[in-house]
Amino acid sequence: MTTTAPGPDDSVEGPPIREATRADLLEIYRLEQNAFPQPWPFSALESYLGEPGFLVAEADRDGVPSVAGYVIADTIPNHGTPLGHVKDIAVTPEYRRTGVATALLRRALAVLSAAGAGSVKLEVRADNHGALRLYRQFDFEHRKTIPNYYSNGNDALVMVRLL
């Protein structure tokens, strides 16, 4: 039996990852507001509560649990085999480049695989070099460019990976 690894360095332990809860929403919303020039509204984040692909990485800030990052991923119908879609991923500034995004993406890919997705897509700002480096480590490949995808005129790269 052959299996495909979800991503790089599966042996490396990362932060605890769990499904997002209502208690996490305000922290997630604040992170979303600070991380993106076109942030999602609170109601959009709230609409994904209870979905298995809405995950948070936990941090311990002076003994108080908090959100170090989150990911939102789901599946959409695609000719009989669901297509995974990583819709949103963000990490708080103090936890960037510490493996949090890697752990979140690895877990999201596992959730999408368990849901029967045959492949996963995402959109990323063409000039977001850190995110591009992460996605390439997970074998995502650039499939097309969408000009002026973002409100500031930036292009989006559509990237796809087989599961």
Side-chain angles (χ1 to χ4, degrees), residues 81-127:
T81 302
L83 171 65
H85 188 190
V86 176
K87 296 178 174 286
D88 199 3
I89 186 169
V91 175
T92 61
E94 65 268 34
Y95 287 97
R96 290 182 187 151
R97 303 191 66 82
T98 66
V100 170
T102 298
L104 284 166
L105 186 56
R106 181 183 304 115
R107 181 74 174 276
L109 293 175
V111 166
L112 295 172
S113 180
S119 59
V120 179
K121 77 168 191 159
L122 56 82
E123 299 83 22
V124 60
R125 237 181 32 250
D127 62 354

Side-chain angles (χ1 to χ4, degrees), residues 32-134:
E32 176 78 11
Q33 296 294 305
N34 290 324
F36 300 108
Q38 269 181 265
W40 286 20
F42 187 89
S43 60
L45 297 167
E46 187 176 39
S47 73
Y48 284 96
L49 274 179
E51 295 293 327
F54 189 2
L55 305 167
V56 297
E58 286 188 338
D60 183 337
R61 290 190 180 104
D62 300 321
V64 178
S66 62
V67 174
Y70 67 91
V71 63
I72 299 174
D74 67 1
T75 59
I76 54 178
N78 185 39
H79 307 292
T81 302
L83 171 65
H85 188 190
V86 176
K87 296 178 174 286
D88 199 3
I89 186 169
V91 175
T92 61
E94 65 268 34
Y95 287 97
R96 290 182 187 151
R97 303 191 66 82
T98 66
V100 170
T102 298
L104 284 166
L105 186 56
R106 181 183 304 115
R107 181 74 174 276
L109 293 175
V111 166
L112 295 172
S113 180
S119 59
V120 179
K121 77 168 191 159
L122 56 82
E123 299 83 22
V124 60
R125 237 181 32 250
D127 62 354
N128 188 340
H129 302 292
L132 288 166
R133 188 170 38 257
L134 172 69

